[in-house]
Amino acid sequence: DIQMTQSPSSLSASVGDRVTITCRTSQSISNYLNWYQQKPGKAPKFLIYAASSLRDRVPSRFSGSGSGTDFTLTISDLQPEDFATYYCQQTYNTPRTFGQGTKVEIK
Amino acid sequence: EVQLVESGGGLVKPGGSLRLSCAASGFAFNHAWMSWVRQAPGKGLDWVGRIKSKTDGGTTDYAEPVKARFIISRDDSKNMLYLQMNSLKDDDTAVYFCTTIAGSARRGPLGYYYGMDVWGPGTTVTVSS
């Protein structure tokens, strides 16, 4: 199975900050990498596919990059509704493994 | 409106069985690939497995921890997805989500890109004696 390692596990930031979350995979997955956002008590929301392509209606302050084994999710101009936990997921093969999550908290 | 609603969760003893259901509406369920994802209390997301549409073979794939214990099936005539869970263990305690699987319009070097697009609110399964 492909192992997914996100860093940091949590971070504190203020509204308006720029935040970067990293996801590293145990083997190369080309750009078969998704990002999801989950708020407490809610189901996850699909944000980004193919490492950098935003899903419909996802604000442009979200961006993704990377290829191979190293990927990043960046949130520029952090908004109050962005405080949540973010997960990466590989779709290179099955099982479709997730990272352990990064919690973005209010400073 | 595209909607998924899970049901069937509850308290079950270790070694017991439970069948979860997911009612789908607002889209062409018979053409959809579907998946189950779970989340243990206070933990991250854990992929359980997926089922392809019958036109794409209807095949299933599972995560290793549930292989041979869990079975994903579908009834396209009823727009229903199922997860039969047998030989349940304490570690199976989680909220179980059903999801649609969306494929991208463009292809990458290895084929289309897929992601878990629409999610249900989840149903809670507790395995405890």
Side-chain angles (χ1 to χ4, degrees), chain B residues 26-47:
Chain B
F27 65 100
F29 180 78
N30 61 322
H31 291 304
W33 294 19
M34 302 292 295
S35 73
W36 288 96
V37 175
R38 65 184 180 180
Q39 186 168 36
K43 302 296 184 185
L45 301 174
D46 186 26
W47 185 83

Side-chain angles (χ1 to χ4, degrees), chain B:
Chain B
E1 180 195 2
V2 176
Q3 193 172 21
L4 300 172
V5 179
E6 304 91 341
S7 61
L11 175 63
V12 61
K13 289 182 168 52
S17 297
L18 206 59
R19 188 177 85 154
L20 305 184
S21 301
C22 172
S25 59
F27 65 100
F29 180 78
N30 61 322
H31 291 304
W33 294 19
M34 302 292 295
S35 73
W36 288 96
V37 175
R38 65 184 180 180
Q39 186 168 36
K43 302 296 184 185
L45 301 174
D46 186 26
W47 185 83
V48 173
R50 71 155 181 214
I51 185 166
K52 296 182 180 180
S53 62
K54 284 193 168 54
T55 53
D56 288 320
T59 55
T60 51
D61 291 285
Y62 299 95
E64 197 61 40
V66 308
K67 206 175 285 186
R69 297 190 300 124
F70 289 12
I71 300 170
I72 299 173
S73 62
R74 62 192 300 157
D75 185 338
D76 291 345
S77 69
K78 296 180 179 177
N79 287 356
M80 294 291 293
L81 177 73
Y82 303 104
L83 179 64
Q84 177 67 43
M85 303 186 295
N86 302 319
S87 303
L88 282 161
K89 307 175 182 181
D90 290 355
D91 287 351
D92 296 318
T93 293
V95 174
Y96 284 74
F97 299 99
C98 71
T99 90
T100 63
I101 298 174
S104 63
R106 65 183 177 92
R107 292 173 64 94
L110 298 176
Y112 294 105
Y113 299 97
Y114 294 96
M116 293 166 188
D117 190 13
V118 179
W119 297 61
T123 187
T124 300
V125 172
T126 303
V127 183
S128 174
S129 54

Side-chain angles (χ1 to χ4, degrees), chain A:
Chain A
D1 297 2
I2 296 175
Q3 307 304 312
M4 313 288 287
T5 304
Q6 285 182 237
S7 60
S9 297
S10 65
L11 64 90
S12 296
S14 301
V15 171
D17 284 354
R18 179 185 178 91
V19 164
T20 298
I21 298 168
T22 296
C23 178
R24 179 163 289 175
T25 60
S26 60
Q27 68 180 74
S28 177
I29 61 168
S30 182
N31 64 338
Y32 286 81
L33 194 283
N34 297 334
W35 289 98
Y36 299 85
Q37 175 195 65
Q38 186 180 31
K39 296 181 180 179
K42 301 293 187 183
K45 176 184 176 183
F46 186 17
L47 295 179
I48 289 173
Y49 69 98
S52 61
S53 297
L54 264 59
R55 295 283 293 169
D56 289 347
R57 293 179 294 278
V58 173
S60 59
R61 62 181 180 273
F62 290 90
S63 64
S65 66
S67 184
T69 61
D70 293 296
F71 302 87
T72 59
L73 171 69
T74 299
I75 312 170
S76 60
D77 190 23
L78 197 67
Q79 294 299 297
E81 60 268 29
D82 300 335
F83 291 95
T85 300
Y86 294 85
Y87 296 92
C88 59
Q89 181 208 25
Q90 63 82 17
T91 58
Y92 182 82
N93 62 15
T94 55
R96 305 286 206 221
T97 40
F98 289 93
Q100 80 278 17
T102 295
K103 187 174 184 178
V104 177
E105 298 175 298
I106 302 172
K107 184 183 286 185

